[in-house]
Amino acid sequence: MAGAGPTAVLSSGKKMPLLGLGTWQSKAEEVYNAVKVAIDAGYRHIDTAWVYKNEKEVGQAIKEKIAEGKIKREDVFVTTKLFYTFHRPERVREAMLKSIGRLGLDYVDLYLIHNPQCFKYGTSPAEVFKPSADLERLFDDVDHVDTWKAMESLVDEGLAKSIGVSNFNSQQLERLLQNCRIKPAVNQVELHPYLAQQDLVDFCKKNNILLTAFSALGAPARPKSFASGEEEPVLMEDPSVVAIAKKYGKSSAQVLLRYHLDRGVSAIPKSVTPSRIQANFDIMNFSLSKEDLASLGQLDRKLRYVGANLFVKHKFFPF
């Protein structure tokens, strides 16, 4: 994967670039250009999801770069995700076909169960994310082990090269490991110095599951907590982060992304701003010292910017 930066070999045997472009909350008209800018900048890993409602534009941008001769299909690693309402085994392939249809691709490189919690088939994303006293009536109780077996069939069929999960804790991962034919290759979770999750990092390394960090920069676009609505500290303004950035002549964002890579973790920072997309990739010419990694590790305050109390009454709530 020319231009991809550092890569990791997944348990599936496939290579995955450690740095990717995230597209959560990226509007369709913006993400199309963002993906093209990212590919030109050297990114070879693009992360999307059915619920982001931008798979079509992500796929269109990738196909245009292939048509230009900038990349080949095998050069770019595309991740998408199974939404919460498609967990029943008979619905998994349906959801996959919808996603690759929107992407305009024959396969995805990585397909993730987006969350261990699940909702009844046909529930809309608007219903799922609307605060409601009746949210529990929408819950489904499909065991993610059963969902996983349907995910394995997608690999058999060639629709997904690798499969994994998102927002799973170590106990949920352990159940999958004890009941799977194909191991989960990736677990995508919120991860940054304010939420270091060292136990989960250690568990995943021990079991050859690559961790991918979303909100890798501490959700700078979210001055208020997704869960509580209260003001949260801005990680990129933390004095320790700022001081380390000054030491290396880099930005706070670049230091935080390097923190993940030096920790053996993948990261998918989201941006639609060309200059930030390019700057986020410009981290291949330095590494953090052990002392600076340790300093960042001491910032852990178990702070979740995203989803700390989301679906807390669901039987598979992971936090």
Side-chain angles (χ1 to χ4, degrees):
M1 290 185 175
T7 61
V9 178
L10 303 177
S11 59
S12 61
K14 306 299 183 182
K15 284 186 178 181
M16 176 175 140
L18 289 180
L19 187 63
L21 178 73
T23 64
W24 181 44
Q25 294 186 321
S26 294
K27 297 177 182 178
E29 62 271 19
E30 295 176 331
V31 77
Y32 164 73
N33 186 61
V35 171
K36 293 203 297 182
V37 169
I39 291 173
D40 286 341
Y43 289 77
R44 294 296 180 267
H45 175 182
I46 310 295
D47 181 275
T48 184
W50 181 88
V51 73
Y52 299 171
K53 298 182 180 179
N54 59 23
E55 288 173 315
K56 179 180 177 181
E57 289 74 20
V58 167
Q60 183 181 354
I62 290 170
K63 287 185 292 182
E64 286 190 14
K65 285 299 171 183
I66 292 173
E68 289 175 15
K70 179 71 176 181
I71 54 171
K72 298 177 181 178
R73 171 62 186 94
E74 58 268 27
D75 292 334
V76 62
F77 191 100
V78 180
T79 299
T80 193
K81 308 175 190 77
L82 177 80
F83 189 55
Y84 314 161
T85 58
F86 294 97
H87 279 217
R88 293 201 168 274
E90 66 272 18
R91 298 297 183 183
V92 171
R93 187 175 186 275
E94 171 191 342
M96 166 59 95
L97 292 178
K98 287 182 177 181
S99 282
I100 62 174
R102 291 192 180 103
L103 286 162
L105 303 175
D106 295 327
Y107 67 89
V108 294
D109 297 274
L110 179 64
Y111 197 47
L112 304 178
I113 297 178
H114 205 153
N115 209 298
Q117 300 106 308
C118 52
F119 287 74
K120 293 176 182 177
Y121 178 74
T123 304
S124 71
E127 290 178 287
V128 169
F129 295 113
K130 179 181 179 180
S132 169
D134 293 331
L135 193 61
E136 291 176 66
R137 70 182 172 81
L138 303 175
F139 287 170
D140 207 346
D141 62 354
V142 184
D143 190 330
H144 37 260
V145 169
D146 295 329
T147 305
W148 186 256
K149 294 184 185 303
M151 296 279 286
E152 291 174 325
S153 296
L154 301 178
V155 178
D156 298 335
E157 196 174 343
L159 296 175
K161 299 296 184 182
S162 302
I163 49 177
V165 296
S166 181
N167 297 303
F168 274 54
N169 62 35
S170 56
Q171 292 77 23
Q172 292 165 332
L173 287 169
E174 184 62 46
R175 281 198 67 233
L176 283 187
L177 290 169
Q178 292 176 357
N179 294 279
C180 69
R181 179 168 54 86
I182 300 173
K183 288 177 59 174
V186 168
N187 184 24
Q188 186 179 122
V189 299
E190 181 179 350
L191 208 62
H192 44 74
Y194 281 173
L195 185 66
Q197 301 206 71
Q198 190 60 51
D199 288 345
L200 183 61
V201 171
D202 293 341
F203 177 89
C204 287
K205 284 185 177 179
K206 178 182 176 182
N207 290 281
N208 195 23
I209 300 170
L210 181 68
L211 271 177
T212 293
F214 69 75
S215 297
L217 304 178
R222 269 186 193 282
K224 294 185 178 181
S225 166
F226 184 86
S228 67
E230 298 178 356
E231 295 289 334
E232 299 285 11
V234 179
L235 174 59
M236 291 204 296
E237 296 175 2
D238 187 285
S240 294
V241 176
V242 172
I244 292 171
K246 184 177 180 181
K247 172 183 173 181
Y248 289 91
K250 294 290 185 178
S251 69
S252 292
Q254 289 170 325
V255 163
L256 291 170
L257 292 174
R258 194 67 235 185
Y259 158 83
H260 292 295
L261 268 58
D262 288 344
R263 210 175 171 210
V265 170
S266 168
I268 48 169
K270 172 258 178 180
S271 182
V272 295
T273 305
S275 61
R276 289 178 183 168
I277 292 170
Q278 292 162 353
N280 286 345
F281 197 78
D282 186 23
I283 61 170
M284 308 306 174
N285 58 352
F286 79 109
S287 293
L288 299 177
S289 68
K290 291 182 180 179
E291 293 77 16
D292 290 329
L293 283 171
S295 178
L296 291 171
Q298 291 172 0
L299 299 179
D300 188 18
R301 54 179 75 188
K302 297 178 172 54
L303 171 63
R304 292 185 185 276
Y305 288 99
V306 182
N309 297 317
L310 197 62
F311 322 139
V312 67
K313 294 183 179 180
H314 198 288
K315 65 185 292 186
F316 296 133
F317 181 71
F319 311 136

